[in-house]
Amino acid sequence: MIGKKIAHFEVEEILGRGGMGVVYKARDTRLNRSVALKFLPAHTVTSDESRVRFLREAQIAAALSHTNIAAVYDLGETDDKQVFIVMELIDGETLSDTMERGPLPLQQAIEIGVQIASGLQAAHESGIVHRDVKPSNIMLSNTGEAKILDFGLSKLAGSQVLTKTGSTLGTASYMSPEQVRGEDVDFRTDIWSLGVVLYQLLCGQLPFEGTYEAAIAYAILNTETDIAAATNPDVPERISRIVERAMQKDANERYGSMADFRDDLDAFATGGSHSVASARSQAAGGKMRMIVGAVAIVAAVSIIALLWTNRNAKRQWAAQVAIPEIERLADAENWRAAFALAREAEPYMGADSALIKLRPQFSAAYSINTDPPGADVFARPYADVAGEWEPIGQTPLEEHPYPRGWYRLRVEKDGYDDFEMATGRWSRTVDVNVALTTSAGYVDVPGREQGDGYLLPVGLDHLGSEPLTAFRIDRFEVTNAEFKAFVDGGGYRDPAYWTVPFESVGRRITWEEAMKLFVDTTGQPGPSTWEVQDFPDGQEAYPVTGISWYEAAAYAEFVGRRLPTLFHWATAASIWWSNKIVPLSNILGDGPAAVGSFQGMSPSGAYDLAGNAREWIWNASGDPGKRYLLGGGWNDPDYAFTDAFAVDAMDRSVTNGFRCIEYIEPNDNQEALERPLARAFRDYYAEQPASDTEFEGFLRQYAYDRSPLNATVESTDDSQEDWIREEITFDAAYGNERVIAYLFLPRNAVAPFQTVVFFPGSGAISRTTSDDLSPGSRDFILKSGRAYLHPIYKSTYERADDITSDYGDESVYYRSRVIMWANDLSRSIDYLQTRDDIDSDRIAYLGYSWGGASGPIMTVVEPRFKASVLYVAGLYPSTVSPEVDPFNFIPRIKTPTLMLNGRYDFFYPYETSQKPFYEQLTLPDDEKEFYVSDGGHYVPREELVSRTLAWLDRFLGSVR
């Protein structure tokens, strides 16, 4: 275009591009002046709607004559039917360019606002609403004049509406609430948009921001602004009130005209009286009263029409704005925001709406019961330790809808102590049962049946759970003041409290010998951190520390209670909440703190189970004289909360403390609960992988005969919006078994498909059927245009056998099963290679948890993978046969590998499991990556999705 002559205009240079046009500087050879030529963008030339709107822009703008509106001189058309407008050329820059340098001086900002308001008022008086007022549509000339551009989105009174049904026009950040909702607009939408522009001029930021347009729209509809509290503290309150009035969400509460808005701005700029608009309104009062009667009949009819129109517009808003934003918020695990937006949209959605399908993604059914009932329940997000308590209702609450997430609950009932606990999880149903008490010193923990899941610390988690009766556990660690009662009560002088024989350095010692060891810094009986049988000044409420296991057990005997067993402590601690609890706990700190000072509360309602003081439990380890000390202390690393740690029972380190429990009912399995527990542990920094010669022998055991697959597509389900599911069976590589596999094919892509093969977490071992199997949270693989294959491996779902855990051992049986899992995986790829709709050269591995830990074996045995994503992977503490030990396979991985982990993982500790795994990878730096989030045994979905897809794009290629 540059250098061409169009009619009598010589095009010299491009000035800018926008959604409605491309602007060039040109020379008018007839009048010998510079002008601006605006053309439709090339990709919209064939759009009748854009063409008509563009022509109308010229007609509208040409009808306006005002010093603050860019003049339109002419309208023309090129030989190839490109329409252009001849406009005034303004020497200067757009207001958006000016604003990039920061907030403007107050007086200059107000003067610009007055000029813009003047130009818009002239347009309004001609029946024209701009509808796209924003800084990029305002030019500032070199002489200081503000000029409004682009009336292409304007609405000329009486003209045909050119937008598609339910669509909105405008730029998201500057749109009025009524524009966001898709409603008809009038001059008041320009008042709102100019208010937003002034807010940005004064504060250097937009009042409503977001990553997506839908997020901005949600903020416009739901977020309140306060210019006085924004980043510029120098904005006078008077101008703040003017801007806030222009930005009232209810259009009826804004200025009655652009002239009123302009006059208030001008009065402030010139020091005039406040408020001109108010005075004008009072003067017009008499005239208004005269016409009320005439308007009443028309108004009645108009209200009915308006209500219908608004209802229809709100349905459009709910379907086109709210639903996509709810889905985005749910995917981002911002469940509370999704829940709130769903509540707002729900009245406008039909019974068969998309909201019903979305609801399980962000809402859970909470059943909360108390004994006795009739208690008031309040909630706030777990991490919001200073937030307001939100009332939930009164117990019993049955399947009460509430956002998914992690919450602190507060239960109040007259005659009982207020009680706090935590709840929430990934699941969509949550059951809470609370026994109200009149003692704030302990919390009641419900019993557990055999098989009820509660995680044990790493190194002991292979033991499985034991059934428990209900018990009480101290809400806080035993304090100095409480332990002082034991000291002053003769606890160190009475052998009756010391019921367990003493061992020191591997030999039995007498009670008298032990008492000589259990002294304070002055040689008096007491904790090692005390002096003269007393704790440091001001530390009454601090946990007692510097005591041995024997002293802790003696105190428990003194008060008629017990030290918790591993199983009781783990149930109360809920270490799978580690990523929530640890950041709010006194761990990696500078010293102990008063109990309850930190807000790391476990779901049971007990505090400081993570950090502050390490806590002795009853159980001995497999090593002579050692007992377990759990939870970590103030000077321990953050993973100590989830790790099993055993030391000599005589140890009196400055971090050693404890708490007690009381059995509400006796346990029939008390002996099993208190038994010594051997800890599984491997120091991977001290171990060496197998040699190449040894490894060649290991690898031969995974070989199988490439016999015919005899594959059959058993069923096809095409009921889903995003994918088609095929259930496939084929011959296994062993015995006479058939492997089941589910192949999910994307609807939004063209074959042949790249494919991701999944290896699941250990939950697949306990499930009995795969009939309703879906991609679940891996649906993003399909949405990216890739196929997704989930083989049903031996030992999982309906192919279950004697394997009950993902924990390995050194048995031949376990070794044979690992080889079968690898064979199932390889046979699945054999099958994929038989299909024309699969790109068999672009296949990736995705392993979750158990599947992540198995990733080294699977990707080394199966070289056809071009990329690997290991989601929450790590090395197990248990010892297995070398042929099936992932540690021997990691250095041999040739597949580009991405590890996605959580720093507070309760199953694969960061220091002892994740890091040695990654550090054994010998891949080039650009073919391996280790991402660690602040999560636990998961990575936030946004990171999982973005990083996984980026890795697949990089090594498989982008999807066509």
Side-chain angles (χ1 to χ4, degrees):
M1 185 70 71
I2 297 173
K4 289 185 178 181
K5 186 171 183 179
I6 299 171
H8 54 281
F9 301 101
E10 294 178 347
V11 180
E12 297 178 343
E13 61 180 283
I14 189 169
L15 296 177
R17 298 178 184 271
M20 272 302 296
V22 183
V23 183
Y24 296 91
K25 180 182 179 182
R27 188 72 183 167
D28 184 342
T29 58
R30 287 182 182 174
L31 299 177
N32 194 28
R33 64 179 176 182
S34 293
V35 295
L37 303 184
K38 181 172 183 179
F39 290 81
L40 275 175
H43 68 276
T44 61
V45 169
T46 58
S47 168
D48 291 338
E49 179 181 318
S50 296
R51 188 182 186 89
V52 172
R53 189 186 304 150
F54 187 80
L55 293 172
R56 195 186 69 199
E57 175 184 350
Q59 296 167 353
I60 292 171
L64 300 174
S65 177
H66 192 277
T67 186
N68 296 117
I69 298 176
V72 172
Y73 301 139
D74 199 359
L75 180 69
E77 189 172 19
T78 66
D79 294 339
D80 57 354
K81 303 301 183 183
Q82 288 193 72
V83 181
F84 61 89
I85 297 173
V86 185
M87 302 168 55
E88 173 186 5
L89 180 65
I90 303 164
D91 290 329
E93 64 180 358
T94 65
L95 182 56
S96 60
D97 291 335
T98 302
M99 291 166 64
E100 286 182 359
R101 295 190 287 274
L104 272 64
L106 178 63
Q107 188 68 22
Q108 183 185 1
I110 301 304
E111 288 174 357
I112 290 172
V114 170
Q115 292 186 63
I116 299 169
S118 297
L120 290 171
Q121 175 59 22
H124 294 172
E125 289 173 352
S126 298
I128 299 167
V129 180
H130 191 285
R131 297 202 295 172
D132 197 23
V133 178
K134 58 185 178 182
S136 60
N137 276 343
I138 298 162
M139 288 291 295
L140 294 182
S141 73
N142 293 336
T143 59
E145 282 185 317
K147 299 272 191 176
I148 305 169
L149 308 173
D150 199 351
F151 276 83
L153 297 179
S154 303
K155 179 182 176 185
L156 182 62
S159 68
Q160 181 183 5
V161 177
L162 296 173
T163 58
K164 298 177 183 178
T165 302
S167 68
T168 57
L169 292 177
T171 303
S173 296
Y174 302 90
M175 288 169 66
S176 65
E178 55 268 30
Q179 278 182 295
V180 170
R181 291 191 292 264
E183 300 171 357
D184 287 339
V185 299
D186 56 24
F187 66 89
R188 294 172 297 183
T189 198
D190 286 350
I191 292 175
W192 167 282
S193 298
L194 180 53
V196 174
V197 171
L198 281 169
Y199 185 105
Q200 190 178 10
L201 280 171
L202 295 166
C203 301
Q205 65 183 40
L206 282 163
F208 308 105
E209 297 181 304
T211 306
Y212 304 91
E213 286 194 0
I216 297 170
Y218 176 76
I220 290 170
L221 294 173
N222 296 278
T223 305
E224 297 298 329
T225 60
D226 183 359
I227 191 171
T231 56
N232 188 347
D234 298 325
V235 177
E237 182 178 357
R238 180 175 164 186
I239 200 67
S240 297
R241 301 290 80 81
I242 293 173
V243 174
E244 286 176 359
R245 182 175 177 185
M247 292 172 59
Q248 289 298 304
K249 295 188 188 299
D250 184 345
N252 293 319
E253 295 181 6
R254 295 175 207 151
Y255 282 96
S257 71
M258 186 63 76
D260 292 347
F261 187 11
R262 176 200 61 202
D263 290 346
D264 269 8
L265 289 171
D266 190 49
F268 176 86
T270 59
S273 62
H274 180 75
S275 149
V276 176
S278 300
R280 180 181 289 109
S281 297
Q282 292 172 7
K287 182 177 179 180
M288 290 298 295
R289 284 190 293 273
M290 292 174 63
I291 63 172
V292 165
V295 170
I297 296 174
V298 177
V301 176
S302 299
I303 288 172
I304 294 172
L306 181 62
L307 289 174
W308 184 90
T309 302
N310 284 346
R311 180 78 179 177
N312 189 51
K314 287 178 178 177
R315 286 195 186 104
Q316 293 175 358
W317 165 81
Q320 298 173 17
V321 176
I323 289 296
E325 177 64 0
I326 290 169
E327 185 173 15
R328 187 193 71 79
L329 290 168
D331 279 347
E333 297 170 13
N334 192 347
W335 297 313
R336 286 178 63 80
F339 189 89
L341 185 54
R343 280 281 177 90
E344 185 173 346
E346 192 170 24
Y348 313 111
M349 304 296 292
D352 58 347
S353 72
L355 189 57
I356 294 174
K357 179 182 176 182
L358 272 177
R359 189 173 297 282
Q361 304 302 316
F362 59 84
S363 180
Y366 288 76
S367 295
I368 304 175
N369 295 280
T370 58
D371 182 18
D376 294 318
V377 182
F378 305 85
R380 69 184 180 198
Y382 181 85
D384 189 8
V385 296
E388 295 292 327
W389 289 103
E390 179 182 358
I392 300 298
Q394 193 171 81
T395 60
L397 294 170
E398 296 297 332
E399 296 186 354
H400 180 79
Y402 202 67
R404 292 174 63 189
W406 289 264
Y407 297 96
R408 295 174 189 265
L409 294 185
R410 183 175 178 86
V411 182
E412 299 179 359
K413 183 175 175 62
D414 290 343
Y416 295 87
D417 287 318
D418 296 343
F419 177 71
E420 291 185 18
M421 61 177 296
T423 192
R425 57 196 73 180
W426 294 103
S427 64
R428 298 171 177 88
T429 58
V430 180
D431 295 318
V432 176
N433 295 286
V434 177
L436 300 177
T437 71
T438 55
S439 172
Y442 58 81
V443 296
D444 283 358
V445 182
R448 299 294 184 104
E449 299 294 332
Q450 181 70 47
D452 277 3
Y454 55 90
L455 283 169
L456 302 179
V458 176
L460 298 174
D461 41 357
H462 63 287
L463 298 173
S465 62
E466 289 281 348
L468 305 173
T469 61
F471 63 96
R472 296 185 175 113
I473 190 167
D474 289 341
R475 184 181 298 274
F476 306 110
E477 297 149 327
V478 173
T479 65
N480 282 318
E482 290 169 327
F483 198 81
K484 184 88 162 63
F486 172 70
V487 175
D488 293 346
Y492 283 91
R493 298 191 300 271
D494 190 341
Y497 302 126
W498 307 78
T499 61
V500 179
F502 299 96
E503 287 187 41
S504 177
V505 197
R507 70 178 183 88
R508 287 285 183 91
I509 62 173
T510 65
W511 179 76
E512 290 81 7
E513 289 175 311
M515 291 308 104
K516 292 178 181 178
L517 299 174
F518 299 152
V519 295
D520 62 23
T521 58
T522 60
Q524 301 296 310
S528 68
T529 55
W530 289 17
E531 61 180 39
V532 196
Q533 294 192 304
D534 203 359
F535 49 81
D537 289 345
Q539 294 194 6
E540 295 87 350
Y542 281 55
V544 61
T545 56
I547 60 173
S548 65
W549 179 89
Y550 295 101
E551 290 164 282
Y555 173 88
E557 191 75 24
F558 175 76
V559 296
R561 288 181 284 168
R562 303 280 288 180
L563 292 181
T565 70
L566 166 72
F567 306 97
H568 291 92
W569 188 93
T571 300
S574 297
I575 61 176
W576 66 277
W577 275 61
S578 59
N579 66 303
K580 307 295 178 186
I581 296 171
V582 171
L584 297 176
S585 299
N586 185 20
I587 203 162
L588 281 173
D590 297 322
V595 297
S597 298
F598 285 76
Q599 294 301 304
M601 179 180 71
S602 295
S604 61
Y607 287 78
D608 298 322
L609 282 158
N612 217 22
R614 300 173 188 151
E615 300 183 15
W616 289 109
I617 63 168
W618 181 267
N619 303 84
S621 74
D623 297 324
K626 290 189 175 182
R627 300 271 175 165
Y628 284 105
L629 193 61
L630 302 180
W634 56 266
N635 58 353
D636 283 317
D638 49 19
Y639 63 85
F641 176 51
T642 63
D643 208 0
F645 183 53
V647 299
D648 193 299
M650 298 293 289
D651 187 279
R652 306 179 81 224
S653 297
V654 296
T655 322
N656 297 357
F658 69 103
R659 74 180 73 214
C660 299
I661 66 168
E662 176 184 349
Y663 299 124
I664 297 175
E665 300 173 6
N667 291 286
D668 294 335
N669 59 332
Q670 193 66 31
E671 184 175 345
L673 292 171
E674 294 184 347
R675 73 185 188 272
L677 305 170
R679 177 176 183 251
F681 176 73
R682 293 175 65 179
D683 184 354
Y684 285 104
Y685 289 106
E687 293 189 33
Q688 292 294 322
S691 69
D692 290 343
T693 302
E694 291 174 312
F695 188 75
E696 286 178 10
F698 301 163
L699 207 55
R700 284 194 290 271
Q701 299 189 37
Y702 291 85
Y704 65 95
D705 293 329
R706 297 292 179 95
S707 56
L709 288 163
N710 297 315
T712 302
V713 177
E714 303 289 350
S715 65
T716 301
D717 179 359
D718 63 356
S719 62
Q720 298 297 318
E721 180 180 351
D722 296 323
W723 65 79
I724 298 170
R725 187 186 89 155
E726 294 182 1
E727 179 185 358
I728 300 149
T729 60
F730 48 82
D731 288 346
Y734 46 85
N736 295 313
E737 295 192 38
R738 296 278 284 177
V739 178
I740 306 168
Y742 292 93
L743 179 62
F744 298 84
L745 302 172
R747 290 186 182 272
N748 67 339
V750 178
F753 306 115
Q754 299 178 18
T755 305
V756 175
V757 184
F758 184 60
F759 197 116
S762 60
I765 297 172
S766 59
R767 296 190 178 104
T768 58
T769 179
S770 63
D771 287 347
D772 59 350
L773 196 68
S774 74
S777 61
R778 276 85 56 195
D779 59 351
F780 67 90
I781 299 292
L782 289 150
K783 291 179 180 179
S784 77
R786 296 177 171 91
Y788 171 85
L789 182 70
H790 186 152
I792 303 304
Y793 301 88
K794 183 69 173 176
S795 310
T796 69
Y797 296 98
E798 49 266 72
R799 301 189 68 206
D801 51 22
D802 291 336
I803 294 289
T804 59
S805 168
D806 56 329
Y807 254 83
D809 56 40
E810 296 179 272
S811 67
V812 174
Y813 185 83
Y814 176 76
R815 182 179 66 200
S816 71
R817 288 310 180 265
V818 176
I819 295 171
M820 288 179 182
W821 301 334
N823 289 166
D824 289 346
L825 184 73
S826 291
R827 291 287 276 179
S828 297
I829 299 179
D830 292 345
Y831 171 74
L832 290 176
Q833 290 184 319
T834 68
R835 295 187 58 132
D836 293 336
D837 58 352
I838 299 297
D839 186 344
S840 57
D841 289 329
R842 300 185 182 189
I843 299 175
Y845 177 87
L846 173 61
Y848 166 66
S849 191
W850 174 39
S854 302
I857 298 176
M858 302 302 147
T859 57
V860 170
V861 168
E862 185 44 75
R864 287 174 286 184
F865 287 120
K866 296 299 188 293
S868 173
V869 178
L870 308 181
Y871 176 34
V872 289
L875 289 163
Y876 287 92
S878 55
T879 301
V880 297
S881 300
E883 299 94 331
V884 294
D885 188 347
F887 186 67
N888 289 327
F889 287 75
I890 295 175
R892 277 92 183 181
I893 292 176
K894 303 300 182 186
T895 306
T897 299
L898 168 66
M899 285 181 64
L900 301 171
N901 285 80
R903 187 173 303 278
Y904 305 109
D905 195 319
F906 51 77
F907 197 81
Y908 299 119
Y910 174 71
E911 291 287 347
T912 59
S913 176
Q914 298 175 30
K915 282 181 65 177
F917 185 117
Y918 183 74
E919 290 173 5
Q920 282 293 321
L921 285 172
T922 57
L923 289 163
D925 288 345
D926 60 349
E927 293 184 9
K928 62 180 179 179
E929 184 176 329
F930 183 29
Y931 171 74
V932 183
S933 76
D934 285 333
H937 196 60
Y938 77 99
V939 171
R941 180 174 171 83
E942 286 187 316
E943 292 293 339
L944 168 65
V945 173
S946 62
R947 291 179 180 275
T948 299
L949 294 184
W951 196 256
L952 297 180
D953 287 347
R954 181 175 170 186
F955 292 101
L956 299 187
S958 60
V959 176
R960 293 191 299 272

